[in-house]
């Protein structure tokens, strides 16, 4: 909290995950585990305006991950990043309204990919993110 009412958060994760079990035959022992990013960065800033309105901006960057391609060499899933924005206004100590926008920049990415073979070509039928999403609501506390 560098100044009153401002909260800054940052985190960095470095992950060196490798296969240690012989149970899964799709990868050799010691191979990097699929779908685990090596680097991940998260930052956020939140400010409370006039003791009533809190706004928060958060961003996340995820490094490329390796995906299993059964019967062929593994492939990399691209890096991705996104920005979220949220706001909450406290009307009184028992009632507040809030809203948020996830993926503010409408980044297109998939956390998990799945390759499907259609005839002689490979089609990526992964699990894409939902795109930009807007949420809102009310909180009642008693």
């Amino acid at each position: 909290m560098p100044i009153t009412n401002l909260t800054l958060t940052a985190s960095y994760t470095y992950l060196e995950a490798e296969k240690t079990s012989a149970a899964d035959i799709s990868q050799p022992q010691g191979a990097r585990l699929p779908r685990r990013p090596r680097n991940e960065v998260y930052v956020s800033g939140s400010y409370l305006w006039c003791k009533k309105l809190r706004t928060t901006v958060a961003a996340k960057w995820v490094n490329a991950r390796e995906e299993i391609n059964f019967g062929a060499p593994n492939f990399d899933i691209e890096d991705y990043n996104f920005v979220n924005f949220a706001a909450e206004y406290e009307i009184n100590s028992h009632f507040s309204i809030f809203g948020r926008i996830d993926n503010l920049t409408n980044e297109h990415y998939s956390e998990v990919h799945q390759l499907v073979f259609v005839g002689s070509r490979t089609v990526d039928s992964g699990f894409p993110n939902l795109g930009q999403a807007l949420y809102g609501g009310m909180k009642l506390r008693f």
Side-chain angles (χ1 to χ4, degrees):
M1 294 185 72
I3 60 174
T4 305
N5 297 327
L6 176 64
T7 303
L8 300 175
T9 305
S11 67
Y12 169 74
T13 302
Y14 176 80
L15 180 63
E16 189 65 47
E18 65 180 47
K19 181 181 179 228
T20 59
S21 167
D24 180 7
I25 61 170
S26 63
Q27 286 187 297
Q29 196 134 344
R32 179 157 178 74
L33 288 178
R35 301 181 186 132
R36 274 69 165 194
R38 190 173 305 249
N39 299 286
E40 193 169 294
V41 177
Y42 173 84
V43 295
S44 74
S46 181
Y47 190 77
L48 182 61
W49 307 84
C50 303
K51 300 185 185 209
K52 291 284 187 182
L53 174 66
R54 175 168 302 282
T55 55
T56 304
V57 176
K60 186 175 184 180
W61 173 78
V62 178
N63 190 214
R65 289 106 44 231
E66 191 172 273
E67 182 61 275
I68 297 174
N69 189 2
F70 296 99
N74 291 351
F75 66 96
D76 282 339
I77 304 172
E78 292 182 10
D79 300 353
Y80 69 88
N81 57 56
F82 57 81
V83 177
N84 296 337
F85 175 78
E88 181 173 1
Y89 183 77
E90 187 177 293
I91 294 170
N92 60 44
S93 62
H94 299 288
F95 185 67
S96 63
I97 56 174
F98 65 90
R100 78 175 200 256
I101 302 173
D102 287 350
N103 195 6
L104 188 63
T105 59
N106 203 24
E107 177 81 12
H108 298 284
Y109 64 92
S110 292
E111 291 195 32
V112 177
H113 284 258
Q114 176 182 8
L115 292 181
V116 176
F117 300 101
V118 178
S120 61
R121 62 189 183 102
T122 305
V123 176
D124 181 0
S125 66
F127 301 92
N129 72 319
L130 298 176
Q132 190 178 69
L134 177 64
Y135 302 92
M138 300 175 281
K139 288 183 185 178
L140 181 60
R141 295 178 287 278
F142 52 94

